[in-house]
Amino acid sequence: MNSEEFKIVGARLSTATTRVSASIGFAKALHAQSKPPAYLVGEVEVNDPESMKPYITGVIDVVAKYGGKYIVRGGHSETLEGSAPTGRFAIVQFNSSEELKRFWESAEYQEIAKVRQAASRSRFFVIEGYLP
């Protein structure tokens, strides 16, 4: 093999190595995203608006601390079928069910949840998201 052929083979080998490295990186990224997001869905019927104010303002920081992002918080709802909701809705997205449960079970949230529980009637659900 002459030096020119050697350079061509080296260049092809370098390109192949780069492609393999990129494929491995892509596979690792896909694996990291293999857990579906988790959604905390709450329906809250407030009985004592004044007592609820500390929860409304305080929960935002706790949600953020544990990686949650509000998708819905209050807002107008319209019934399309079935019975109308009795309260307002909140939907918070977390990267995983584990992250959501760390938030829910945290001392910070459990403390502020007492305010919500005293001032409202609520239902909360965890719903696993969809990964295409």
Side-chain angles (χ1 to χ4, degrees), residues 39-44 55 59-60 63 68-78 87-93 124:
Y39 296 90
L40 176 64
V41 178
E43 181 182 16
V44 180
Y55 177 83
V59 73
I60 296 169
V63 165
K69 291 188 300 187
Y70 278 96
I71 305 299
V72 172
R73 189 163 195 242
H76 171 76
S77 66
E78 179 181 347
R88 299 175 62 116
F89 283 94
I91 301 174
V92 183
Q93 179 182 352
F124 282 86

Side-chain angles (χ1 to χ4, degrees), residues 2-128:
N2 67 33
S3 66
E4 198 58 39
E5 290 172 328
F6 187 75
K7 286 180 186 176
I8 292 171
V9 169
R12 288 181 180 162
L13 183 58
S14 176
T15 300
T17 303
T18 301
R19 287 181 181 160
V20 168
S21 294
S23 296
I24 290 170
F26 181 71
K28 285 181 180 178
L30 280 178
H31 179 69
Q33 296 173 359
S34 64
K35 287 188 175 185
Y39 296 90
L40 176 64
V41 178
E43 181 182 16
V44 180
E45 185 178 358
V46 177
N47 302 321
D48 184 349
E50 196 60 35
S51 295
M52 188 71 163
K53 286 181 181 179
Y55 177 83
I56 292 169
T57 58
V59 73
I60 296 169
D61 292 336
V62 181
V63 165
K65 178 180 177 179
Y66 287 89
K69 291 188 300 187
Y70 278 96
I71 305 299
V72 172
R73 189 163 195 242
H76 171 76
S77 66
E78 179 181 347
T79 301
L80 299 177
E81 188 173 317
S83 47
T86 58
R88 299 175 62 116
F89 283 94
I91 301 174
V92 183
Q93 179 182 352
F94 290 87
N95 289 330
S96 67
S97 292
E98 295 83 10
E99 196 174 277
L100 187 156
K101 288 180 181 170
R102 276 194 295 281
F103 156 76
W104 187 265
E105 295 168 357
S106 71
E108 299 99 327
Y109 183 70
Q110 287 303 307
E111 187 61 33
I112 199 155
K114 292 175 187 172
V115 173
R116 175 186 49 76
Q117 291 161 348
S120 69
R121 199 170 63 149
S122 314
R123 299 183 318 148
F124 282 86
F125 309 92
V126 176
I127 300 176
E128 187 177 272

